[in-house]
Amino acid sequence: EAEVAQSPRYKITEKSQAVAFWCDPISGHATLYWYRQILGQGPELLVQFQDESVVDDSQLPKDRFSAERLKGVDSTLKIQPAELGDSAMYLCASSPRGVRANEQFFGPGTRLTVL
Amino acid sequence: SQQGEEDPQALSIQEGENATMNCSYKTSINNLQWYRQNSGRGLVHLILIRSNEREKHSGRLRVTLDTSKKSSSLLITASRAADTASYFCATAAGAGSYQLTFGKGTKLSVIP
């Protein structure tokens, strides 16, 4: 079965450095989500794309975070500069069109540690 | 912000026993979903129940929804060690809105 791919799986960086995460959704999935999950909490939505357009980025800290999905396929989430409080799991999910549009398929996540 | 609140936060049971997790939410919903997350991994969709449904089954899973109480429960019957994971409820607010708001999760440990 097709899966959402994310890389890297783990990233350790020092505060004030820039980091980038990559996500490749399941082929044909129109909607792509980026979540942040702090240890012991549920995922919180950062940004939602429909094809190449941003649907909702109201929870994205835009002073330091940016996200793009230029061709409506894969996506990159960037943090610059990273802060200690950004340490978390960053999850990407995608959804198909049609009857299963409510269901989200998650990638394995990128575990970010900011020192 | 978190919409759902799962209860209990942690649950430990013996293999073969049933596990029940509860979820409460605050605002009206279109549907409610349950996801499982194995340690350090991504989430896996388990089951979706729509606001006009009261109960749904999938294999060993049974989900109930009480919109008047804004609550849902997930029952896993005849638990197995492989069911050890965190379980999250997630709510979708309105028709056509596919955004999910997740709770904090219940950590289930099934002891062999």
Side-chain angles (χ1 to χ4, degrees), chain A residues 9 33 35 37 40-45 48 55-56 59 89 91 99 101-104 106-109 111, chain B residues 1-2 30-31 33 35 37 40-45 48 50 88 92 97-105:
Chain A
R9 292 293 312 281
Y33 306 85
Y35 290 89
Q37 184 179 24
Q41 302 283 320
E44 293 190 313
L45 181 69
Q48 176 188 354
V55 173
D56 186 354
Q59 300 303 309
M89 175 80 90
L91 294 162
V99 294
N102 280 302
E103 183 178 340
Q104 296 189 18
F106 282 80
R111 170 76 64 189
Chain B
S1 61
Q2 311 276 193
N30 175 267
N31 66 76
Q33 305 178 33
Y35 285 78
Q37 184 177 35
R41 304 286 298 178
L43 283 76
V44 175
H45 180 267
L48 180 153
R50 300 189 188 283
F88 295 90
S97 170
Y98 302 119
Q99 284 187 14
L100 294 176
T101 304
F102 286 84
K104 295 182 179 180

Side-chain angles (χ1 to χ4, degrees), chain A residues 12-85:
Chain A
I12 299 174
T13 190
E14 293 185 345
K15 64 180 181 179
S16 80
Q17 296 297 304
V19 292
F21 313 131
W22 177 78
C23 171
D24 191 12
I26 294 172
S27 179
H29 280 198
T31 310
L32 185 147
Y33 306 85
W34 282 102
Y35 290 89
R36 176 170 58 190
Q37 184 179 24
I38 295 168
L39 193 63
Q41 302 283 320
E44 293 190 313
L45 181 69
L46 291 174
V47 61
Q48 176 188 354
F49 289 92
Q50 179 73 24
D51 299 308
E52 68 277 7
S53 300
V54 173
V55 173
D56 186 354
D57 63 358
S58 59
Q59 300 303 309
L60 190 70
K62 298 183 192 63
D63 57 335
R64 298 186 300 109
F65 286 64
S66 63
E68 59 183 18
R69 193 185 184 198
L70 292 176
K71 296 182 179 179
V73 181
D74 59 340
S75 175
T76 302
L77 178 70
K78 297 178 181 177
I79 308 175
Q80 182 173 19
E83 296 181 352
L84 296 177

Side-chain angles (χ1 to χ4, degrees), chain B residues 52-77:
Chain B
N52 61 353
E53 298 176 310
R54 292 296 167 258
E55 188 171 312
K56 204 160 182 181
H57 297 255
S58 177
R60 294 184 296 114
L61 304 180
R62 172 178 169 256
V63 169
T64 61
L65 179 64
D66 186 335
T67 53
S68 67
K69 295 181 180 179
K70 291 187 170 59
S71 67
S72 173
S73 67
L74 171 68
L75 169 67
I76 303 174
T77 60

